[in-house]
Amino acid sequence: MRKTNVSHLVDHFNMTILSGEEGLGREITVTDLSRPGLQLAGYYSYYAEERIQLFGLTEINFFQTLSREERLERMNFLMQGQTPCFCVTRNQPVPEEMIEASNKWGVPVLRSPLATTTLVGKMTNFLENRLAPTTTIHGVLTDIYGVGVLIMGSSGIGKSEAALELVKRGHRLVADDAVEIRQTQAGQLSGSAPELIQHLLEIRGVGIINVMTMFGAGAVRNVKNIEMVVQLELWEPHKMYERLGLDEETLKIMDTDIPIITVPVRPGRNLAVIIEVAAMNFRLKRMGYNAAMHFSRKQSNAILEDADSDL
């Protein structure tokens, strides 16, 4: 399980730390947020203590209606356990009972100028990105006509050379050699390059080149959703390769199935053009046109017409 902590949240959203600074190292392990209205009313069952607790206008105004003893009781309950932090929105004044309990239990109280709904949306996106499951795959990730294409294959088969040709043809490089992949809660895979090798491409016999320096900022991008995989493999004369494109295979990366095509490599084949055409064909399928299915229907109709003419 991936984790982040409260200090990352503070830095990202430039929040004001009001109390409990010693608890900035508290871990955040879930993306869900909580607005503890029922707990403030005294209903303590099913308290999601592992979530960040948000206090908007409703929570603060209701809290002010309670007696001091009730405020301390509610705050002491809420701040026990593994609660990461409390976030107060709209730069509202914070009740002193919250500060007292925060200092007692070491739970940070933070304040943001953002409206509650705005903070919820931005914080959820931030946590989904920080806590998303990740893996690293050997390959090259490119952006071809808006399609994120992950090129895979054995070492030395020509992945980087194909990526270089694609960049020269106007497409963009995301990552070479190692692709860091994150899986969002929606099942979407996004790929990026490790910071150390960002924008770099290794060409055997030439060495390492910086694609952004050589071809400009338009030749690279930092993150791209992965939509299809191209597997390069050495040509095997006796192996049956897909000829029509009717059978669609998928590759499971973490928990997500991604369409994959296998491209045999042999002298004289222009891999960059083939991969480019595969990306364009993928876009056409996504737009509702499948050339293989169209050809198959025309062939079936022609066979039926010939059969009818023989009768």
Side-chain angles (χ1 to χ4, degrees):
M1 181 186 298
R2 288 174 55 83
K3 300 176 182 178
T4 187
N5 57 46
V6 178
S7 63
H8 295 148
L9 195 73
V10 173
D11 294 339
H12 185 81
F13 291 100
N14 196 26
M15 291 182 170
T16 303
I17 305 169
L18 300 178
S19 60
E21 191 169 354
E22 66 274 15
L24 292 178
R26 281 177 169 255
E27 292 181 342
I28 304 172
T29 59
V30 297
T31 60
D32 297 320
L33 309 176
S34 175
R35 299 184 66 175
L38 289 175
Q39 287 73 34
L40 293 179
Y43 183 76
Y44 294 152
S45 299
Y46 309 111
Y47 173 52
E49 63 177 26
E50 73 281 0
R51 302 181 185 180
I52 296 172
Q53 306 298 318
L54 290 176
F55 276 67
L57 283 172
T58 304
E59 289 78 17
I60 291 294
N61 288 333
F62 175 76
F63 193 67
Q64 298 288 8
T65 66
L66 304 175
S67 66
R68 174 172 169 79
E69 291 73 21
E70 288 174 324
R71 295 178 194 173
L72 285 174
E73 177 193 342
R74 306 294 196 268
M75 282 296 104
N76 283 321
F77 170 79
L78 291 174
M79 293 200 181
Q80 295 183 54
Q82 56 181 332
T83 302
C85 64
F86 285 71
C87 296
V88 179
T89 62
R90 296 180 181 272
N91 275 340
Q92 298 177 88
V94 177
E96 62 179 71
E97 292 81 8
M98 184 182 290
I99 299 297
E100 289 181 27
S102 169
N103 290 327
K104 176 182 178 181
W105 297 101
V107 179
V109 173
L110 315 174
R111 185 161 60 189
S112 169
L114 298 176
T116 307
T117 52
T118 302
L119 184 62
V120 167
K122 291 187 175 183
M123 196 176 289
T124 300
N125 290 336
F126 169 76
L127 292 176
E128 285 184 352
N129 183 59
R130 295 283 301 194
L131 301 178
T134 63
T135 187
T136 301
I137 286 183
H138 176 66
V140 178
L141 180 58
T142 56
D143 177 359
I144 305 173
Y145 296 122
V147 178
V149 180
L150 177 62
I151 306 171
M152 300 175 62
S154 59
S155 181
I157 200 167
K159 300 183 297 295
S160 298
E161 289 79 1
L164 177 61
E165 180 63 25
L166 286 167
V167 168
K168 290 181 64 178
R169 294 176 66 88
H171 307 294
R172 293 187 283 183
L173 173 74
V174 182
D176 176 50
D177 191 50
V179 182
E180 290 184 347
I181 300 176
R182 296 175 183 268
Q183 179 180 259
T184 66
Q185 288 188 336
Q188 179 65 58
L189 302 178
S190 64
S192 60
E195 186 176 357
L196 182 65
I197 60 174
Q198 198 172 48
H199 306 153
L200 300 181
L201 193 63
E202 179 195 357
I203 304 298
R204 280 176 171 79
V206 176
I208 295 175
I209 64 172
N210 189 311
V211 173
M212 187 173 70
T213 302
M214 186 172 293
F215 297 98
V220 297
R221 66 177 302 167
N222 293 333
V223 181
K224 179 62 183 174
N225 289 339
I226 300 173
E227 295 169 277
M228 67 173 296
V229 176
V230 174
Q231 176 74 36
L232 303 181
E233 66 174 40
L234 293 176
W235 182 287
E236 296 182 20
H238 303 294
K239 182 176 179 178
M240 296 296 295
Y241 293 100
E242 183 64 37
R243 299 288 298 272
L244 296 179
L246 291 173
D247 298 329
E248 294 187 354
E249 299 181 351
T250 59
L251 172 69
K252 183 179 285 292
I253 300 178
M254 288 187 278
D255 297 325
T256 303
D257 291 322
I258 301 292
I260 181 174
I261 65 170
T262 300
V263 176
V265 177
R266 67 186 302 182
R269 301 198 87 196
N270 192 325
L271 295 179
V273 172
I274 294 172
I275 295 171
E276 185 181 61
V277 169
M280 287 191 288
N281 192 47
F282 176 84
R283 286 193 65 186
L284 284 173
K285 288 181 180 179
R286 194 166 56 180
M287 295 167 64
Y289 177 78
N290 189 321
M293 294 295 296
H294 183 68
F295 169 76
S296 180
R297 283 195 297 267
K298 288 181 64 178
Q299 185 183 44
S300 298
N301 292 335
I303 293 173
L304 290 175
E305 290 175 2
D306 289 343
D308 292 339
S309 63
D310 291 338
L311 293 177

